[in-house]
Amino acid sequence: MALWAASSPHLLLLGLLSILLLHPNVGIRLGIVLRPSPVIPNFREAPGFQNGDQCGSGNTDDIHVAMTLDANYIQGTMAAVFSLLQHSTCPENLKFHFLSARAEPELFSRIKSTFPYLSFKTYAFGSNRVRGKISRSIRRALDQPMNYARIYLAHILPSDMRRVIYLDSDLVVVDDIAKLWGVDMEDRVVAAPEYCQANFTQYFTDALWSDPDLSKTFRGRKPCYFNTGVMVMDVDKWRKGGYTKKVEGWMTLQKRKRLYNLGSLPPFLLVLAGNIKAVDHRWNQHGLGGDNFEGRCRRLHPGPISLLHWSGKGKPWLRLDSTRPCTADHLWAPYDLYHSSKSFLEE
């Protein structure tokens, strides 16, 4: 980090080359040293949100929300948190749990300065947990260790926590999250919108379907697609059922046989598809980021909407900044605490 702060990148490069020439045994990877850290912007301070008269104040009234925290997605995270607070009947009952790859004081200070009254905790998610387990996928972003943090939630969050809502950073909630929190899990470990009309076979390669043993994986259950960016998780049942090991088992096999081409989603499907509690589709209007290759614009699906999710390659803050937004991106813009006007926040 200190090296990157040098006044001239050309001088820095020459200095590093000199070190290599004079000391050939010094191991320096120029690609890592010269990579700049993402600039973390300043955000407008969000207004304070207070509970309604009907809200309880005990621990049993808390609603726990887990998200990852990353400098590249911080603009999306801020918008997501803002949307959750704005549409919650009991915003003071929301307890946020942020997982970060390493201690980044600047990220944490941005959360605190933007949401002075927010109740949140931060947790370190070391990449060592998934070292050697991640296979290359069709998008580099899907290969990042933080994309796999949701697999380890049950072992990172406090042991007395029973339930948590996991949310990606590329979404906004336009309904009271308490409605999703209160879903009857019916003894299932995960609750999420389920899509049984999707072509389930496309998420896996022929290596899975042509193997006489592996192809029996879904026998006895109707496998349906679900998106892991919005999940209610019974972390107590997850721990007791050893689900982390089950997902990791498929990740290990993937390293040898190439069973799928995406990131952390397919091993979740292999373990849980057809055995989750299905909730209303309104809680994940996903795919607004387009496909994983080009991120082309997509229309909203018909029906009521409680959550808008820009899963896929295209992210609304990037497309809006490039002045080439998709129509749905304008639904994200009012929650952007980086660009939004002060007058809007005070309304």
Side-chain angles (χ1 to χ4, degrees), residues 150-151 190 192-196 198-204 208-209 214 217-219 221-229 231 238 243 246-248 250-251 259-276:
R150 68 201 78 185
I151 298 170
V190 164
E194 193 176 49
Y195 304 87
C196 295
N199 181 6
F200 195 79
T201 59
Q202 69 179 341
Y203 295 100
F204 305 97
L208 175 78
W209 302 117
L214 297 180
T217 299
F218 298 106
R219 180 174 295 177
R221 52 184 168 133
K222 182 181 180 182
C224 296
Y225 167 84
F226 68 94
N227 181 280
T228 56
M231 297 185 291
W238 185 281
Y243 281 90
K246 293 177 182 179
V247 175
E248 283 185 332
W250 284 107
M251 292 166 60
L259 305 176
Y260 48 83
N261 294 316
L262 289 174
S264 62
L265 169 63
F268 260 91
L269 296 177
L270 286 161
V271 174
L272 289 162
N275 196 27
I276 70 168

Side-chain angles (χ1 to χ4, degrees), residues 64-68 97 99 146-151 153 164-169 171 180 227-233 307:
H64 296 280
V65 178
M67 304 179 71
T68 57
H97 304 265
L99 281 65
M146 288 306 296
N147 197 44
Y148 291 79
R150 68 201 78 185
I151 298 170
L153 275 176
V164 68
I165 297 175
Y166 173 82
L167 297 176
D168 275 348
S169 297
L171 55 78
L180 181 60
N227 181 280
T228 56
V230 180
M231 297 185 291
V232 185
M233 299 180 67
L307 185 150

Side-chain angles (χ1 to χ4, degrees), residues 154-169:
H155 307 286
I156 296 173
L157 298 175
S159 58
D160 60 347
M161 189 180 298
R162 301 291 300 274
R163 178 181 293 201
V164 68
I165 297 175
Y166 173 82
L167 297 176
D168 275 348
S169 297

Side-chain angles (χ1 to χ4, degrees), residues 102-117:
R102 53 189 175 274
E104 297 188 69
E106 195 173 1
L107 276 178
F108 306 147
S109 65
R110 287 293 190 278
I111 295 286
K112 190 64 179 176
S113 62
T114 307
F115 302 102
Y117 310 104

Side-chain angles (χ1 to χ4, degrees), residues 287-291 294-300 310 314 319 324-329:
L288 298 180
D291 61 79
E294 298 182 10
R296 294 177 179 175
C297 296
R298 287 184 178 175
R299 297 179 180 178
L300 296 175
W310 279 262
R319 292 195 294 220
R324 298 178 62 184
C326 296
T327 302
D329 296 343

Side-chain angles (χ1 to χ4, degrees), residues 282-311:
R282 69 188 302 155
W283 284 105
N284 195 353
Q285 175 87 205
H286 67 282
L288 298 180
D291 61 79
N292 278 301
F293 289 103
E294 298 182 10
R296 294 177 179 175
C297 296
R298 287 184 178 175
R299 297 179 180 178
L300 296 175
H301 303 301
I305 298 172
S306 294
L307 185 150
L308 296 153
H309 187 187
W310 279 262
S311 56

